[in-house]
Amino acid sequence: MNVMQLFSLKNKVVLVTGGAGNYGRSITEGLGEAGATVIIASRNIEAIEKVSADFRAGGWDVHGMQVDQADKASVLRLKENIIRQFGKLDVFINNAVSRPMKGYNAPIEQFDESMRVNATGMMDILREMTGLIIQSGGGSVINISSMMGMYAPVYSNYDGIPGMGDIAPDYCFHNAGLIMLTRFMAKTHAGKNIRFNCISPGGLFNNQPEKFVENYCKKVPLGRMANNDDIKGLIVLLSSDAGAYINGENILIDGGLYA
Ligand SMILES: NC(=O)c1ccc[n+]([C@@H]2O[C@H](COP(=O)([O-])OP(=O)(O)OC[C@H]3O[C@@H](n4cnc5c(N)ncnc54)[C@H](O)[C@@H]3O)[C@@H](O)[C@H]2O)c1
């Protein structure tokens, strides 16, 4: 097949959780540009509808739906709505994240709250959407983890910045687990025409304090933080037939920081 056809996502229905967030918007844009029908889902329906209307105005086929992944009934409602409106699901980008824990010594209840969304709820929506993709004839799941699920924090990045540097352990813990879960899912669903991969991105530039950006960029061979385009190509590769033989993989995308 022609390589441009391999990368095409025409006629593919893709779900992106947290699709209105920082990385979520870049991911949605890349999928839309490759021709996919994209469903973006998160808790606040007004916010998600506003973002999807903006995407549609830009010419992409993007739809907003509500989900709270920590709520079983809400996950099942999302699944029913996808079936009712689109009849199938080809790709799931497991991207939503909640950050309720505010530092190493934060109350343990905040760790528990994080696990409800980022571990238990995440597992629930991952299993439900995997089932829907298999029922639809097969496809691809992409889990979004983080370089912080692979490597311990670099505390020197926060030197001289008041209010930064107290890293919450829940984020590293659930992102590390997601990398292993990706491999587990790839083996567990062997023979069902479904692939599972993970992307572990580095820090996305988001107007962080200048000192932090300076400390961070000094360590990156490419000399900069990630921008909004950096994740798009990999998302389209892993979602499309161009990545048809990539399965059970975790890909770090950090500008060479951990090379
Ligand atoms: N921003 C970065 O620099 C960075 C770096 C590395 C990895 N990542 C990863 O990228 C992914 C997205 O991160 P981000 O920084 O764009 O986050 P973000 O906070 O900008 O967006 C997260 C989204 O998840 C949604 N969400 C939160 N709780 C939810 C719930 N219970 N149910 C449904 N949706 C819920 C939010 O509404 C939001 O839309 C995460 O997996 C994160 O680990 C981000």
Side-chain angles (χ1 to χ4, degrees), residues 94-99 111 114-115 118-119 122 143-151 167-183 198-201 250:
N94 185 15
N95 168 71
V97 72
S98 174
R99 295 184 173 91
F111 185 91
S114 170
M115 291 308 115
N118 300 313
M122 189 282 301
N143 293 320
I144 308 298
S145 175
S146 170
M147 64 180 181
M148 293 185 77
M150 298 176 67
Y151 299 101
I167 309 295
D170 63 314
Y171 187 78
C172 302
F173 177 73
H174 66 74
N175 275 314
L178 188 54
I179 296 169
M180 187 58 222
L181 187 61
T182 304
R183 301 184 185 115
C198 191
I199 298 177
S200 293
N250 172 47

Side-chain angles (χ1 to χ4, degrees), residues 213-257:
V213 176
E214 185 192 315
N215 291 344
Y216 184 98
C217 292
K218 264 197 291 205
K219 301 184 177 85
V220 181
L222 292 180
R224 63 171 177 84
M225 297 188 76
N227 66 34
N228 290 314
D229 284 338
D230 287 326
I231 202 167
K232 286 179 175 182
L234 192 49
I235 284 284
V236 173
L237 169 70
L238 296 176
S239 299
S240 69
D241 289 344
Y245 205 54
I246 306 173
N247 193 17
E249 194 53 78
N250 172 47
I251 301 175
L252 177 65
I253 161 170
D254 69 345
L257 176 60

Side-chain angles (χ1 to χ4, degrees), residues 77-183:
R77 256 195 318 276
L78 173 68
K79 193 174 162 186
E80 281 160 22
N81 287 338
I82 294 171
I83 296 170
R84 190 174 319 114
Q85 200 169 330
F86 301 100
K88 65 164 187 170
L89 185 68
D90 299 294
V91 179
F92 172 39
I93 317 286
N94 185 15
N95 168 71
V97 72
S98 174
R99 295 184 173 91
M101 195 171 188
K102 300 304 175 202
Y104 176 72
N105 280 314
I108 202 65
E109 289 75 15
Q110 291 181 9
F111 185 91
D112 193 33
E113 193 183 336
S114 170
M115 291 308 115
R116 270 197 291 121
V117 179
N118 300 313
T120 310
M122 189 282 301
M123 185 67 229
D124 187 31
I125 195 165
L126 176 61
R127 232 170 25 182
E128 292 299 339
M129 296 308 151
T130 293
L132 182 52
I133 293 173
I134 292 169
Q135 191 185 312
S136 306
S140 171
V141 173
I142 303 170
N143 293 320
I144 308 298
S145 175
S146 170
M147 64 180 181
M148 293 185 77
M150 298 176 67
Y151 299 101
V154 180
Y155 286 102
S156 60
N157 282 341
Y158 308 97
D159 279 353
I161 311 167
M164 283 182 98
D166 183 7
I167 309 295
D170 63 314
Y171 187 78
C172 302
F173 177 73
H174 66 74
N175 275 314
L178 188 54
I179 296 169
M180 187 58 222
L181 187 61
T182 304
R183 301 184 185 115

Side-chain angles (χ1 to χ4, degrees), residues 22-23 43 67-69 95-97 99 144-145 171 201-202 204:
N22 293 318
Y23 261 122
R43 288 160 304 174
V67 73
D68 177 352
Q69 71 181 36
N95 168 71
V97 72
R99 295 184 173 91
I144 308 298
S145 175
Y171 187 78
L204 180 66

